[in-house]
Amino acid sequence: MSAVPLIALVGNPNCGKTALFNRLTGARQKVGNYAGVTVERKEGQFVSPAGQAWRILDLPGAYSLLAATPDEAVTRDVIAGARAGEMPPVGLVCVVDATNLRLNLRMVLELQTLGIPMVLAINMMDQAIKRGIHIDVARLQERLGIPVVETVAIQSGGEQALLTQLDQLGWRDRPAAEVTTQLDKLAHLDVQSTHQRVGALLDECVSTSQARESLTARLDRFALHPILGPVILAALMFLVFQAVFSWASAPMDWIDEHMSALGQWVQAHMSDGPLRSLLVDGVISGAGSVLVFLPQILILFAFILALEDSGYLPRAAFLLDRVMGSVGLSGRAFIPLLSSFACAIPGIMATRTIANPRDRLVTILIAPLMTCSARLPVYALLIAAFIPSRTVGGWFNLQGLVLFGLYAAGILSGLLVALVLKLFMKDAGPQPLLMELPDYHWPHLRNLAIGLWERARIFVQRVGTIILAIMIVLWFLSSFPAPPAGASEPAINYSLAGMLGKALEVIFKPIGFTWQICIALVPGMAAREVAVGALGTVYALSQSGDDLSNALVSVVQHAWSLPTALSLMTWYVYAPQCLSTIIVVKRETNGWKMPLLMLAYLFGLAYVACFIVYRLALYWGA
């Protein structure tokens, strides 16, 4: 057993639990999955004012220990010590929302049933005061029989009362033998009695003064308006795609310039040979051509994290409930689908919150059609090469408009596929949308910075591990065997990769793909963004002399026609070029039937759509 005691944060969704976790741990976090499931596991460390080191788990949000979702089951089992490979926490910090104690106190009373040492952290006290809610903390502590502290997780120092309380408690060990016997008590829990006790606690410990209309209520008049609401949502989404191109150009140019300078420096200071070719053509041209898109990915994530932290995303789900209901989905599918714009994997995992089995399955099947951040490097490359950077209508960047169109194509296609699936899959009937709408608040810069740091670290790690390894393998396949003596064509034409690309070209030529594109599609199955690095490696080895110093944008601009570029963009709207996504679908659906169905319909849809786009572009003389 570790000498550092382990405690766990537990609470309802949207109670500020993760904000408190970030406040306590800062960047000292490890993120992974619990063994055997695709539920995220977050652990961190911190040191209290008395010098005591603590390990802390941020457990998945749960409304009850009577688990109705996989997330709630994981939370219950970890708390009880019933999860294999997980050390039971020595104590719990139960976080509740001060503005919504009626819902949150139910969880507190259920946790008390287990008899595990616990501190109650009443979070968002600043919001409660603004809304005229007075909580008698001393009285609540007396009635519950556990320590109760006030916290404001988004403010510096807002965690100090909790830290002081932990030092006073001095938790160190927890007997493992008491675990499962305590858990058995939940099976006999009287839900009605729990509700009655919550009501009694509120009557005794909470009072509300007459307060003016809250900011949240005033903002919701516009944000949830049946006409203005969708307009505001569309404007926000449009702003995101404009910003991805307009704001990222300067840092992208800086990265591109320095990666090019690094390649030229290595080329100038190393003698000609396989090692120099590996470093310049494989590592720097390949991985560097992917790394240059980091600013755009961070801008996309910054908007998503800010909208999530502000409390707007659940409202967006509410607004879209009617639209999604028309194709057989509920508004609850919105957040998993929105998460898929970052990456389809967490989006598919987030479908566990959808109770209707048919809705959940349809959401999983259409999640890959949402444009994930891994597609962004491919789109950015092609748009920069073939779409002029000019202003349209005096306000809008044309490249941003095209990117918005690609995202919109994925969304509309997903809705159409859901409508088709609705006709063939049995449904239990319409499901009402019931969800909590948290108060609005400014996104907390510290939480935003930690979130962006995590995304940047993950992306750079992928560039430095998976993508780099694939680029090295591709460089080898593109360099060997060596061309015969007196060969007049570039060396890659005689290599294993060249042979594979020309074999695949027979299949993909009707949709305008060159053999170089075909080579890039193969390693691109590991991760979509690998295709850009693969093109960088392929074209670096396909050319010689001054052409080697040309940016990849300039190379593809001269090597491809506009119909080919449009066809490749269309391919990336639909094709399931991500093995990790297929594996997660297999785990979430407990079999290979759904992943294989997904592969078949998405590849078929991609090929047909590319054929139509390519032929129409040729017909119109593009």
Side-chain angles (χ1 to χ4, degrees):
M1 181 178 292
S2 171
V4 179
L6 174 70
I7 59 176
L9 283 177
V10 61
N12 290 182
N14 301 314
C15 68
K17 175 174 58 65
T18 298
L20 184 58
F21 178 78
N22 290 336
R23 172 65 58 190
L24 291 169
T25 63
R28 299 179 296 277
Q29 303 178 9
K30 291 191 299 182
V31 181
N33 284 342
Y34 288 96
V37 293
T38 51
V39 178
E40 186 177 73
R41 182 186 190 278
K42 293 179 72 173
E43 180 180 334
Q45 293 189 8
F46 66 94
V47 178
S48 67
Q52 171 64 48
W54 297 89
R55 294 166 56 214
I56 184 168
L57 272 179
D58 181 13
L59 292 174
Y63 289 107
S64 172
L65 293 179
L66 303 174
T69 67
D71 284 21
E72 290 182 337
V74 167
T75 294
R76 178 200 62 203
D77 292 344
V78 171
I79 289 171
R83 184 154 199 88
E86 289 288 335
M87 179 190 301
V90 300
L92 305 175
V93 177
C94 184
V95 185
V96 297
D97 178 357
T99 66
N100 196 7
L101 287 179
R102 184 173 298 278
L103 177 64
N104 285 231
L105 282 176
R106 174 188 167 188
M107 184 69 166
V108 177
L109 298 180
E110 290 183 5
L111 288 167
Q112 282 193 295
T113 304
L114 301 181
I116 300 169
M118 180 168 62
V119 172
L120 178 61
I122 306 180
N123 196 36
M124 304 187 190
M125 285 297 293
D126 56 334
Q127 295 297 318
I129 292 170
K130 289 178 182 177
R131 292 170 65 167
I133 300 172
H134 174 71
I135 302 171
D136 188 339
V137 174
R139 180 65 173 161
L140 185 61
Q141 178 170 292
E142 177 188 340
R143 296 289 288 115
L144 289 173
I146 60 173
V148 179
V149 297
E150 300 179 18
T151 62
V152 182
I154 63 171
Q155 291 182 5
S156 178
E159 79 286 8
Q160 287 303 314
L162 174 60
L163 291 173
T164 301
Q165 186 65 60
L166 289 174
D167 281 334
Q168 293 174 359
L169 292 171
W171 290 334
R172 292 295 178 271
D173 298 301
R174 170 182 158 190
E178 68 183 48
V179 175
T180 52
T181 55
Q182 299 288 357
L183 189 57
D184 290 340
K185 297 178 182 178
L186 288 176
H188 307 289
L189 194 65
D190 186 345
V191 176
Q192 186 62 36
S193 174
T194 301
H195 282 306
Q196 291 173 353
R197 193 173 170 209
V198 168
L201 286 169
L202 293 174
D203 291 340
E204 289 186 52
C205 307
V206 181
S207 61
T208 305
S209 61
Q210 188 65 34
R212 59 188 180 131
E213 186 181 32
S214 68
L215 175 64
T216 292
R218 294 198 299 273
L219 289 175
D220 277 344
R221 289 180 182 175
F222 302 97
L224 298 181
H225 190 276
I227 298 174
L228 289 178
V231 172
I232 292 171
L233 175 60
L236 283 172
M237 295 298 101
F238 190 76
L239 173 63
V240 171
F241 304 125
Q242 287 289 305
V244 163
F245 264 96
S246 300
W247 299 358
S249 58
M252 287 180 67
D253 290 343
W254 185 87
I255 295 173
D256 188 36
E257 178 184 336
H258 284 76
M259 292 303 298
S260 298
L262 176 61
Q264 292 169 6
W265 185 87
V266 171
Q267 195 165 17
H269 289 79
M270 288 186 68
S271 57
D272 192 15
L275 181 58
R276 190 181 80 170
S277 176
L278 170 61
L279 291 176
V280 175
D281 302 328
V283 175
I284 297 173
S285 293
S289 58
V290 180
L291 193 62
V292 73
F293 297 103
L294 176 62
Q296 291 181 316
I297 290 171
L298 290 182
I299 289 172
L300 177 65
F301 273 112
F303 274 99
I304 292 175
L305 291 171
L307 290 172
E308 181 179 21
D309 200 24
S310 69
Y312 181 74
L313 287 191
R315 289 163 172 86
F318 173 80
L319 287 170
L320 293 172
D321 182 50
R322 181 174 296 179
V323 175
M324 302 185 79
S326 65
V327 296
L329 294 173
S330 76
R332 194 172 293 279
F334 170 74
I335 292 179
L337 292 177
L338 184 67
S339 299
S340 299
F341 282 102
C343 177
I345 292 172
I348 290 168
M349 289 161 53
T351 61
R352 293 189 301 266
T353 62
I354 301 174
N356 185 311
R358 190 201 71 88
D359 280 4
R360 180 171 184 258
L361 188 57
V362 172
T363 306
I364 288 173
L365 289 174
I366 67 173
L369 287 170
M370 304 303 110
T371 303
C372 68
S373 59
R375 289 176 169 102
L376 197 54
V378 181
Y379 288 164
L381 170 69
L382 297 177
I383 290 172
F386 292 95
I387 306 299
S389 179
R390 66 167 183 253
T391 302
V392 177
W395 291 89
F396 306 117
N397 181 291
L398 179 59
Q399 293 181 333
L401 286 173
V402 172
L403 182 65
F404 181 77
L406 291 168
Y407 275 73
I411 295 169
L412 293 175
S413 299
L415 294 177
L416 289 173
V417 170
L419 182 61
V420 172
L421 292 174
K422 176 184 178 181
L423 302 176
F424 292 97
M425 299 176 69
K426 293 181 180 179
D427 188 14
Q431 300 289 316
L433 176 64
L434 299 173
M435 62 192 312
E436 182 183 354
L437 298 181
D439 284 345
Y440 289 109
H441 54 82
W442 285 105
H444 191 238
L445 292 179
R446 190 168 187 270
N447 292 338
L448 190 61
I450 289 173
L452 288 178
W453 168 254
E454 282 295 315
R455 300 307 190 280
R457 183 178 60 81
I458 291 169
F459 181 77
V460 173
Q461 280 182 344
R462 282 168 67 88
V463 172
T465 53
I466 299 172
I467 295 175
L468 180 60
I470 292 173
M471 292 305 97
I472 292 173
V473 171
L474 183 61
W475 168 84
F476 177 84
L477 293 175
S478 302
S479 302
F480 298 96
S488 58
E489 298 180 22
I492 193 173
N493 290 24
Y494 305 94
S495 68
L496 294 171
M499 298 174 195
L500 175 62
K502 289 174 180 177
L504 290 173
E505 189 180 21
V506 176
I507 300 172
F508 290 99
K509 192 171 182 178
I511 60 175
F513 289 7
T514 65
W515 63 268
Q516 291 97 334
I517 295 175
C518 295
I519 294 175
L521 291 179
V522 176
M525 280 299 297
R528 288 182 176 94
E529 64 268 44
V530 171
V532 174
L535 287 170
T537 299
V538 168
Y539 278 107
L541 292 166
S542 297
Q543 299 170 51
S544 59
D546 294 337
D547 289 337
L548 280 174
S549 62
N550 288 346
L552 186 56
V553 169
S554 301
V555 172
V556 300
Q557 195 173 35
H558 291 92
W560 301 348
S561 65
L562 178 57
T564 291
L566 294 175
S567 179
L568 186 57
M569 285 189 229
T570 305
W571 178 265
Y572 271 89
V573 170
Y574 299 107
Q577 296 259 155
C578 183
L579 287 176
S580 299
T581 299
I582 304 304
I583 292 168
V584 168
V585 172
K586 186 261 180 186
R587 290 176 62 181
E588 291 291 326
T589 59
N590 297 314
W592 281 107
K593 180 180 177 180
M594 287 302 125
L596 292 176
L597 174 63
M598 177 186 287
L599 281 171
Y601 102 80
L602 286 176
F603 274 129
L605 192 59
Y607 197 94
V608 171
C610 288
F611 184 86
I612 294 171
V613 168
Y614 181 67
R615 296 297 161 179
L616 286 176
L618 288 176
Y619 177 77
W620 287 332

